[in-house]
Amino acid sequence: MKAALWFVALFGVAVASALFAGGNQSTVTVFWSPHRVDLSLNLVLLVLVVLFVVMHLAWRAMSALFELPHQARRWRLQQKERAMHAALLDALSELWSGRYVRAVKSAEQALALEALLTSVRTADDAPLRHTQQLRALSHLVAAESAHALRDRDARVSHLQSVMALGHNQKDDAVEAAMESAYLGAARWALSDRDAPEALRWLDGLRHGPARRTLALRMRLKATRLDQQHTLALDTARLLAKHGAFSETAAQSLLRELAVASLNEAHDSAQLQRAWDSLEATERNQPEVVLHAAHRMIKLSGEATAVMPWLTPLWNRMVQQPDSCAPAIRERVAQALARALVLLPADPEWLASIDRARQTYPRWVELHYLAGMVCWHHALWGKAQQMLEQAAPQLANADMKRQAWRILAQLAEQKEDTARAQLCWKRAAEVAA
């Protein structure tokens, strides 16, 4: 459509020109004493048009002639700029392929070309694009390669150059390079097993970059290396919410860090605060509950605080038998036996344990737990019966040793010396 309109317009101009020139009888007289020249108006107009075109072309030719030195200079600068970008690309390629010495040389070549371009550039030259970003990336590539070559001095020198560039220039490209420098420095510190230094670099990041998955992963490694398990647990929670781990790996990591944070408590009050700081999903994990109960009894010597922790676990175990593995059931029985012996006799617990034993008669650990609770309630006969059934079958060394000890004490109460000596011997034979 556009071409058709142009064609119609051109046709109209041609027709108008033909009508004007075909019937135009006007003349132009030029007096040049003592001569007189009569010229057709059409010829005069044609000469003027030709003269204008010639003058225009001549002007363009002169401009191009005088522009040749500037074009040659721009061409030389452009070649240097292309060589600078090519050197940076070579440095990146060599870094990823593991040729670190070549990567350092290519990065230094890019920096040298950038310095040369900056020194020869004048105000009339076109400004170079991405100069600051290219310089920062070249320093980062050189620093990364120097780190791989264990050249600490070169790494620190290039990193300081990036830091100085970030202080002098403030734009988005340089800010992105600065974030890369902070993350790289933190990674290098972790490689050197210097957790405080890594945390210092990570703390220097802005709020947005500090919450990225890469930064959080490095913070997790640094806090674990620095034995700051509470901070590591908070970081692991953020990573789990971001989907950085699979569900199984996240549960395993959170469980491990929760147990480690409980180990940082040095008295019962600190342990209670550490327990309260855990999330509900972490407090529901059997390993965490059992470790917290063991730790509380060890620190305080009292069992009052641990029963609210162990009761939900016990209920879940007897109501949902598939939810707990045999090893967990053993630890639950052991923890409950240790806690209930320290508390006043409770008939409700005794009845609950007896019902569970009757429901699951093949669970040896329930026989052990029932025997220990019966012994605490001074039900000597029933305690002896339960422990005699459990002691030979128990796999846990501590539980097995404790069962034989209680049987030995019960035998001594009955003045059955031979039986007591046999039980003490069995307890001593249990491997530590």
Side-chain angles (χ1 to χ4, degrees):
M1 185 65 183
K2 190 174 182 180
L5 292 176
W6 273 108
F7 180 77
V8 172
L10 183 61
F11 182 78
V13 171
V15 171
S17 300
L19 292 175
F20 175 77
N24 187 9
Q25 302 297 324
S26 302
T27 60
V28 176
T29 302
V30 178
F31 294 94
W32 189 279
S33 181
H35 304 286
R36 170 182 172 178
V37 180
D38 293 328
L39 300 173
S40 171
L41 179 60
N42 294 340
L43 178 62
V44 171
L45 293 176
L46 180 61
V47 170
L48 290 176
V49 171
V50 171
L51 183 62
F52 173 78
V53 172
V54 170
M55 293 296 294
H56 177 72
L57 293 177
W59 178 260
R60 293 286 300 274
M62 293 296 294
S63 299
L65 180 63
F66 288 113
E67 187 67 20
L68 283 177
H70 299 288
Q71 289 184 357
R73 176 180 175 81
R74 284 198 297 268
W75 182 84
R76 290 193 297 269
L77 293 176
Q78 188 180 49
Q79 292 302 110
K80 290 184 175 61
E81 186 176 359
R82 288 178 178 176
M84 176 180 64
H85 285 89
L88 178 58
L89 292 176
D90 291 341
L92 289 171
S93 177
E94 289 156 358
L95 172 64
W96 292 334
S97 61
R99 294 179 290 187
Y100 301 114
V101 176
R102 294 185 181 182
V104 171
K105 291 181 179 179
S106 297
E108 291 177 347
Q109 181 183 2
L111 290 170
L113 289 171
E114 189 275 332
L116 177 61
L117 282 172
T118 303
S119 63
V120 301
R121 181 178 171 273
T122 62
D124 296 332
D125 296 327
L128 298 176
R129 301 179 61 186
H130 315 301
T131 305
Q132 305 300 331
Q133 186 180 13
L134 185 142
R135 186 189 304 174
L137 290 178
S138 299
H139 281 299
L140 287 176
V141 171
E144 187 70 39
S145 302
H147 172 73
L149 295 171
R150 299 186 180 278
D151 189 351
R152 182 179 178 85
D153 294 336
R155 186 190 77 186
V156 172
S157 175
H158 286 291
L159 182 61
Q160 289 177 349
S161 299
V162 179
M163 294 296 106
L165 182 64
H167 292 309
N168 296 331
Q169 301 289 334
K170 296 296 183 182
D171 57 40
D172 294 340
V174 175
E175 288 291 340
M178 289 292 294
E179 293 169 8
S180 302
Y182 275 93
L183 292 173
R187 186 175 64 255
W188 302 332
L190 285 175
S191 179
D192 296 336
R193 309 290 293 178
D194 190 351
E197 181 70 9
L199 290 173
R200 185 179 70 84
W201 284 108
L202 291 172
D203 291 337
L205 288 170
R206 294 178 299 173
H207 181 70
R211 294 180 66 86
R212 294 173 187 166
T213 302
L214 177 60
L216 291 176
R217 283 183 181 273
M218 287 194 288
R219 183 176 292 277
L220 176 62
K221 292 180 181 179
T223 50
R224 295 184 72 182
L225 183 61
D226 202 32
Q227 301 296 316
Q228 299 183 27
H229 298 296
T230 303
L231 295 177
L233 180 58
D234 294 336
T235 307
R237 289 168 182 163
L238 286 176
L239 284 169
K241 291 178 181 178
H242 291 172
F245 309 112
S246 64
E247 184 176 356
T248 303
Q251 290 180 356
S252 176
L253 178 62
L254 291 174
R255 179 172 61 248
E256 178 184 351
L257 292 175
V259 170
S261 66
L262 293 174
N263 287 334
E264 292 181 346
H266 300 292
D267 55 42
S268 57
Q270 291 181 357
L271 182 61
Q272 185 64 50
R273 287 195 296 270
W275 173 264
D276 294 336
S277 66
L278 298 179
E279 294 185 351
T281 55
E282 297 160 1
R283 290 197 294 264
N284 288 333
Q285 298 193 33
E287 293 86 351
V288 178
V289 176
L290 293 171
H291 185 80
H294 172 75
R295 185 80 175 157
M296 178 63 78
I297 293 175
K298 181 179 179 181
L299 291 175
S300 65
E302 299 179 356
T304 306
V306 304
M307 292 310 296
W309 306 345
L310 292 174
T311 301
L313 183 59
W314 164 260
N315 294 333
R316 189 168 67 216
M317 185 183 77
V318 298
Q319 294 173 6
Q320 303 174 6
D322 295 334
S323 62
C324 294
I328 297 296
R329 293 203 305 265
E330 286 185 356
R331 294 182 60 187
V332 172
Q334 185 181 17
L336 277 173
R338 186 179 302 173
L340 291 173
V341 167
L342 295 175
L343 294 173
D346 189 345
E348 294 184 1
W349 267 106
L350 179 61
S352 176
I353 294 170
D354 193 57
R355 286 194 302 270
R357 181 184 61 82
Q358 294 176 7
T359 305
Y360 308 104
R362 294 186 179 181
W363 290 7
V364 181
E365 55 273 6
L366 291 183
H367 292 279
Y368 167 81
L369 178 59
M372 293 296 295
V373 175
C374 289
W375 172 74
H376 183 56
H377 284 71
L379 301 175
W380 315 123
K382 193 170 183 179
Q384 181 178 359
Q385 178 187 359
M386 295 294 102
L387 292 176
E388 285 178 347
Q389 293 179 10
Q393 305 178 50
L394 288 171
N396 186 284
D398 292 336
M399 296 171 65
K400 192 170 187 177
R401 190 182 302 110
Q402 184 67 13
W404 285 117
R405 287 174 180 172
I406 298 300
L407 288 173
Q409 294 177 11
L410 292 175
E412 289 177 350
Q413 290 179 2
K414 295 181 179 180
E415 298 182 356
D416 189 349
T417 306
R419 178 65 178 171
Q421 290 178 352
L422 178 61
C423 292
W424 283 119
K425 181 181 179 181
R426 296 284 178 82
E429 289 175 348
V430 176

